Structure formats: C-alpha cells, structure tokens
Amino acid sequence: MMSTNHLVIFDTTLRDGEQSPGASMTKAEKLRIAKALERMKVDVIEAGFAIASPGDFDSVKAIAGSVKDSTVCSLARALDKDIDRAAEALKPAKSARIHTFIATSPIHMKYKLQMEPDQVVEQAVRAVKRARGYTDNVEFSCEDAGRSEIDFLCRIIEAAIDAGAGTINIPDTVGYAIPEQFGDTIRTLIERIPNADKAIFSVHCHNDLGLAVANSLAAVSHGARQVECTINGLGERAGNASLEEIVMAVRTRKDLFCIDTQIETQHIVPTSRLVSTITGFPVQPNKAIVGANAFAHESGIHQDGVLKHRETYEIMRAEDVGWHTNSLVLGKHSGRNAFRTRLQELGHVFETESELNEAFTRFKELADKKHEIFDEDLQALVSAGAGSDIEGKFKLVCMSVASETGVTPVAKLTLEVEGVEHTVSSEGSGPVDAAFRAIESMAESGASLQLYSVNAITSGTDSQGEVTVRLERGGRIVNGVGADTDIVIASAKAYVNALNLISREHTRHHPQGDV
Ligand code: KIV
Ligand code: ZN
C-alpha cells in the first residue's frame, strides 16, 4: 500500500445515495450538491452511473464540466459500452476517474453473472485496461467483496493492479461484515497481494447491520486509505457509511488513526441540510454530527458542566461542523448582493443572473411575511425554487382553504396544466387532505401517497414549513419538496412537485441490477 497519512474521501451521494428509493435528483440538484461537495474539499465525487440513462449521462457531464477542485468519477460495469460511456461523460473534467466493477463472491458469480471465476478475472482485466485507455485514474471494485473468498480476491486484485488500477475498492455490498473481521480482511489483502504497494486500498460499506462506519474505520486502521461514503449516510437500502461520521471520527481521534482528511468540516451541516432538502430524506434528530440534537444538552448536570468547561461533555465543537445558533442573517432591507454573498457562503452559487433575480424576488416575498430570515430559510428558499423549476405539466397558481371547527374543510386551487389554467375544489378530512384531493381530481395521476412529512425549518411560529411528499406509481418512487410559511401551501407545492417528477419519462438501469 502507498504509505500515506492522507485519507481520500470519495463521496458517492450522487450515485449510491441516489439509489435510495425516492432519492432521485434532477441535474440541477446534483450540480448544487456537487458544488457543495467541492467546496467541502471532497477528494473524489462519484457523479453518477453514466450509462444508466441519458439523464444520468448529462448529469455526470455537467458536473465534470463544472467541478474543478475535486476529481469527478463515473461508475461503469466491467463492460466496454459502460466504460466508453463513462469516458465520454467525463471528457470535460479537469481530473477524471473511471470506477469499474464486477462481482467476486461465489453467490454473485454463480447466480447473477453466471460466469466462472476465470472469466470474471478476464473481464475485470479487460475493463481496467480499457478504462486506462481513457485515463490514468482507474478504480476497480470487487462487488460483494464482503462475501468473497480471500484467495480469489487476492488473485483478481493482483491482476487488476497489473492491468493499471490505481485504486482497489473492497465493498461490503450487502452490509454483512463485522469490524474486526473486515479490518483483518483489509490487512490480509495488503499483506498478501504482491503488488499491493502500487494501489490505494479503499472501502465501501453498507449499513444493513448499522456497522458501515465502524467497518470503514476498522479498515482504515488496517491500511485502507480511501473511504467511500455519503452525506447523511444516504444510499441503497440502509445506506452507506456517513461522510460526516467518518471525517469527524478520524479527526476527533487523531491520536488513534494518525491520519488526516482535507475536508473543511465547517461545511458539513449546510451540506447535510442541502442533501436532506433536495432528496426529502429528513435527518433524524439524534443522528451523530448533523442531527438537531447532536450538540443539544438536555440534562441540567450536562448543561452545567458544559457552561463551566465545554470539554466536560463535548468532544467536538458544534461550530467546527457548521452549526451556529440560528443567526439572523438577512432582513427585509437586505440587498441583492448581500443575498447572493450569503447564499454563496452556504454553498449555493447562482448560475445565471435571472436565477438570482427570481430567488431574490422570492426572498423579498418571504421577508414581507417573516421578519427574521435565517440561513435555513435561505436554503429552503433556493431549494424550493429549484423544485418549482422542475419542468413538468403542473404548476400551482393560487389556492385558498376554508377550515373551521365543526365544518368539513374545503380547498380551492388554480392549477396550470400544460399552460392552461383550471380551477378545482374538494373537501377533505383536513385542509391538506382537501388540497391533495383537489389536485388529484385534476391530475388523475393514479399515484399513491407513501409519505407526508412536515418539518419546521427554524424555531418560532413564523417558521417556514418544509413539506416532503413521497408518491409511488408502477414501482417508481419520487419525493417532492415544498416550503412556505403556510404549511398547507407548502404541502400543495410539494405535491405538485412530486407529480411533475413522477410524470417524467424515466428509464434507467440499476448498476447492480443487470449485466
Ligand atoms: O455496494 C457496492 O458494491 C457498490 C459498488 C458498485 C461499488 O455500490
Ligand atoms: Zn454500494
């Protein structure tokens, strides 16, 4: 293994994270997250799986063209067509990586690939060589390494390094590993593979047993020098190792790990919020580092201790990961420049003047309703703006609801459907139910509501409510998000956004689904 005390942080929020049901993102949303990751100084951003769909290809290409300080990576199965497509999408990148993979466990080789081990080695070598034809920066992954035989791993990895792979990734694809055993696997591979010193060993752990971070850290202790992770631990099924936990663990326990990342940790909380807002996946309050309670001391003894000497109960400083106490940032009289600058500090860069102007108009409207505007409001404002930009059939023009004790609530809405305005109304068991029924009476989407959640963005009764609506149709799941100081309006916006997402054409391959 290359001797280094730098831990490469490889973020796969935009690829594995997007494989969470309902977490699919638009190109504009992915670009915003990629820029936030770049600002945080993530070493490698896995921007997507270029061959999955034309939309995925465009997103990888746009990120490759826009990100300059991080390496941009695309996933590719060990197939010529995947590698060629990844290379094409990555052409604009200043620094590009192709990440190719093939399954190596007996169960995957037999049932999924229906290939003999010799054929798998041959295909892996061919893929790495083809990828090297495009870039010097090639990563090879042994899918389901967590359940693969060590002798076979040694054989295929040695061949992949000989073929030119500079990073070897050991995924625990199904979240089966246990820290001690996984750390031991990494150590054994590094010791036994004769050319191991020519590659960086990486890990990619899933969280099915809640051990993704523990397994990744065990691997780091035994020589891994890249960790693949996601913001908020997003990812397939129970998710991946969470970036914020990995980064803060190695930083807080530098005495044990003796290793550094280059992550600028003060951007962690804003980036976590951005990902949560865009995907509609809320962060649980007791989530380490980025949960609302992560630095909140409830018990009197703890509060007293922290006031006397912070380190009595705190091992990290909240401000080091980007927490601040709801600082009042802008108000009604703030100008366009202050608005743009603050959003830039929060990781949102306006691509065009007209985008800035539209967001600034929404900001002024919000400032009329809500006197104190916090960072959280600004982030919701640009996210909701991006949401309403979701090109689609439906647009909410205006709405009213009547809700009174003892009387059935009624919602009346005007919706623009493909440019034509229609007014609809419906009763419901509550104002939100009435609004959704009214929208459905026009849209007739046939989608089923899987989740409705409301989150107050800041404290106080004038807070904006941020609503997530998850719809399912024909096995496809989407999340629509809307924000407003009126939660019924926020709910209607979220529902309309979800409808626009679900009515889009969508054919997409899952990277691990077929070969
Ligand atoms: O979990 C996994 O094995 C993956 C690979 C494609 C790296 O996501
Ligand atoms: Zn994965």
Side-chain angles (χ1 to χ4, degrees):
M1 191 206 65
M2 285 171 186
S3 152
T4 167
N5 57 5
H6 174 67
L7 180 64
V8 175
I9 297 296
F10 175 114
D11 181 279
T12 182
T13 307
L14 299 174
R15 198 276 299 169
D16 213 316
E18 209 207 11
Q19 286 172 217
S20 315
S24 61
M25 302 168 230
T26 63
K27 179 168 94 178
E29 289 167 343
K30 287 186 184 174
L31 254 175
R32 285 178 57 204
I33 293 177
K35 295 304 278 179
L37 295 171
E38 178 186 31
R39 195 170 71 120
M40 202 162 64
K41 295 221 171 352
V42 158
D43 302 82
V44 185
I45 299 172
E46 188 161 54
F49 175 45
I51 202 164
S53 70
D56 286 59
F57 177 88
D58 286 346
S59 299
V60 176
K61 191 169 175 191
I63 292 167
S66 164
V67 165
K68 298 290 165 231
D69 296 335
S70 307
T71 294
V72 180
C73 171
S74 172
L75 185 68
R77 291 165 301 185
L79 298 172
D80 290 358
K81 60 178 180 182
D82 280 38
I83 292 163
D84 298 347
R85 195 81 175 133
E88 182 66 28
L90 290 169
K91 258 188 195 157
K94 194 168 157 213
S95 165
R97 172 181 293 187
I98 297 178
H99 174 193
T100 186
F101 75 99
I102 192 161
T104 53
S105 62
I107 188 169
H108 274 230
M109 289 192 287
K110 182 168 176 195
Y111 295 104
K112 182 176 105 164
L113 299 178
Q114 295 176 346
M115 284 167 75
E116 291 302 319
D118 285 353
Q119 294 174 296
V120 172
V121 176
E122 204 180 299
Q123 192 166 321
V125 167
R126 180 188 161 96
V128 171
K129 286 190 175 156
R130 190 166 186 102
R132 277 300 301 259
Y134 291 112
T135 169
D136 289 347
N137 195 341
V138 174
E139 171 171 332
F140 172 69
S141 281
C142 310
E143 190 195 359
D144 203 19
R147 292 187 299 170
S148 301
E149 287 165 0
I150 196 88
D151 289 347
F152 186 61
L153 283 178
C154 288
R155 179 176 162 211
I156 196 166
I157 291 170
E158 183 181 351
I161 297 174
D162 269 345
T167 301
I168 295 296
N169 186 37
I170 310 297
D172 179 24
T173 305
V174 293
Y176 181 68
I178 301 293
E180 212 180 319
Q181 164 250 320
F182 194 61
D184 206 47
T185 301
I186 301 301
R187 185 184 47 74
T188 308
L189 292 174
I190 293 172
E191 275 173 12
R192 276 187 47 189
I193 296 171
N195 53 3
D197 61 325
K198 305 220 165 40
I200 288 185
F201 278 71
S202 163
V203 288
H204 172 114
C205 296
H206 279 271
N207 207 28
D208 300 66
L209 293 173
L211 292 170
V213 169
N215 286 331
S216 306
L217 293 175
V220 170
S221 297
H222 288 88
R225 287 297 175 266
Q226 173 176 289
V227 171
E228 301 197 354
C229 45
T230 57
I231 301 291
N232 301 338
L234 208 66
E236 185 90 41
R237 304 182 312 279
N240 289 70
S242 104
L243 179 147
E244 57 277 10
E245 293 176 23
I246 298 285
V247 167
M248 292 315 290
V250 298
R251 180 174 149 154
T252 308
R253 297 309 310 270
K254 194 158 179 216
D255 56 324
L256 286 182
F257 291 103
C258 305
I259 208 165
D260 284 312
T261 72
Q262 64 180 28
I263 298 297
E264 296 199 347
T265 58
Q266 73 278 16
H267 299 307
I268 285 179
V269 168
T271 309
S272 157
R273 287 234 176 90
L274 182 68
V275 169
S276 165
T277 308
I278 285 178
T279 58
F281 278 53
V283 174
Q284 76 198 55
N286 57 333
K287 164 83 176 66
I289 322 290
V290 293
N293 291 350
F295 292 87
H297 297 278
E298 229 276 305
S299 107
I301 298 174
H302 286 205
Q303 285 172 355
D304 184 52
V306 169
L307 288 174
K308 285 182 177 140
H309 187 74
R310 179 166 34 190
E311 282 82 18
T312 49
Y313 285 100
E314 280 189 4
I315 56 164
M316 297 167 275
R317 297 185 327 157
E319 53 271 39
D320 287 352
V321 294
W323 283 107
H324 52 86
T325 43
N326 272 358
S327 52
L328 175 62
V329 284
L330 297 175
K332 197 175 165 140
H333 302 293
S334 305
R336 193 180 312 257
N337 209 18
F339 174 72
R340 186 210 313 253
T341 307
R342 186 61 199 150
L343 271 160
Q344 215 157 359
E345 284 163 7
L346 292 172
H348 183 88
V349 180
F350 291 103
E351 298 291 333
T352 60
E353 278 303 298
S354 83
E355 197 196 318
L356 166 67
N357 291 342
E358 279 167 30
F360 190 65
T361 307
R362 288 198 301 276
F363 162 71
K364 286 287 177 184
E365 283 164 10
L366 180 65
D368 271 340
K369 291 192 259 176
K370 188 175 189 292
H371 300 299
E372 300 176 319
I373 307 275
F374 300 105
D375 286 342
E376 292 80 356
D377 291 310
L378 294 179
Q379 276 180 318
L381 189 121
V382 286
S383 296
S388 64
D389 281 343
I390 293 170
E391 280 167 34
K393 279 165 83 171
F394 307 104
K395 196 171 163 193
L396 178 68
V397 180
C398 60
M399 69 179 285
S400 66
V401 281
S403 170
E404 198 182 327
T405 320
V407 178
T408 306
V410 180
K412 188 172 169 200
L413 290 109
T414 303
L415 276 181
E416 197 180 289
V417 185
E418 289 171 335
V420 183
E421 287 193 5
H422 300 266
T423 298
V424 280
S425 72
S426 177
E427 292 184 340
S429 58
V432 173
D433 186 50
F436 287 9
R437 284 173 189 274
I439 298 170
E440 259 312 311
S441 71
M442 166 54 52
E444 293 178 336
S445 74
S448 70
L449 180 69
Q450 296 225 320
L451 173 113
Y452 169 71
S453 96
V454 188
N455 173 37
I457 292 177
T458 54
S459 54
T461 49
D462 67 345
S463 166
Q464 290 192 84
E466 188 176 65
V467 175
T468 303
V469 165
R470 183 176 301 163
L471 295 181
E472 190 270 341
R473 189 173 63 190
R476 183 155 169 246
I477 296 173
V478 296
N479 282 326
V481 179
D484 200 282
T485 48
D486 180 323
I487 59 162
V488 185
I489 295 178
S491 304
K493 284 181 181 173
Y495 197 92
V496 167
N497 281 335
L499 281 180
N500 283 331
L501 285 169
I502 211 156
S503 52
R504 276 190 189 165
E505 281 246 340
H506 186 83
T507 28
R508 185 174 192 209
H509 301 288
H510 187 290
Q512 286 139 299
D514 43 45
V515 277

